């Protein structure tokens, strides 16, 4: 975060800057909420359009798809893939 221009002596202080910058963006919070549902709910289902929208939002804020986890999770008796994403400079 320091390399991305966020000030602060500690990582916690720099993370506060990220939160201030993104917290006023409703689409970021909507995408984050969707991400949390996928990560934490056992029977979570999202539509293709919801996933495509969330990926578009994350890309808008500097994230890129780094790879794909084939057959990453078992959902409703079928294995599904997952993207690995990271924020890059």
């Amino acid at each position: 975060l320091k390399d991305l221009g966020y000030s602060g002596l500690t990582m916690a202080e720099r993370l506060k800057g990220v939160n201030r910058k993104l917290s006023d963006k409703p689409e970021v919070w909507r995408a984050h909420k969707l991400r949390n549902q996928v990560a934490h709910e056992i029977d979570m289902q999202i539509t293709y359009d919801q996933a495509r929208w969330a990926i578009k939002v994350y890309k808008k804020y500097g994230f890129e798809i780094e790879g794909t986890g084939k057959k990453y999770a078992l959902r409703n008796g079928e294995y599904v893939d997952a993207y690995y994403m990271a924020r890059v400079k």
Side-chain angles (χ1 to χ4, degrees), residues 33-50:
K33 183 178 176 181
L34 182 62
R35 175 252 174 237
N36 280 346
Q37 287 177 304
V38 171
H40 300 291
E41 293 181 21
I42 294 173
D43 280 342
M44 174 60 194
Q45 293 182 356
I46 63 170
T47 66
Y48 174 77
D49 289 338
Q50 286 173 309

Side-chain angles (χ1 to χ4, degrees), residues 21-83:
K21 186 174 181 180
L22 297 178
S23 65
D24 63 341
K25 310 282 192 245
E27 65 185 1
V28 171
W29 285 112
R30 186 172 155 214
H32 182 69
K33 183 178 176 181
L34 182 62
R35 175 252 174 237
N36 280 346
Q37 287 177 304
V38 171
H40 300 291
E41 293 181 21
I42 294 173
D43 280 342
M44 174 60 194
Q45 293 182 356
I46 63 170
T47 66
Y48 174 77
D49 289 338
Q50 286 173 309
R52 190 174 60 182
W53 172 84
I55 290 168
K56 181 180 172 182
V57 170
Y58 279 109
K59 284 183 174 183
K60 179 179 174 181
Y61 289 97
F63 286 82
E64 292 182 9
I65 295 172
E66 293 187 319
T68 303
K70 295 291 185 180
K71 297 184 178 180
Y72 179 81
L74 185 64
R75 300 275 190 222
N76 298 319
E78 294 183 32
Y79 285 97
V80 296
D81 298 344
Y83 286 130

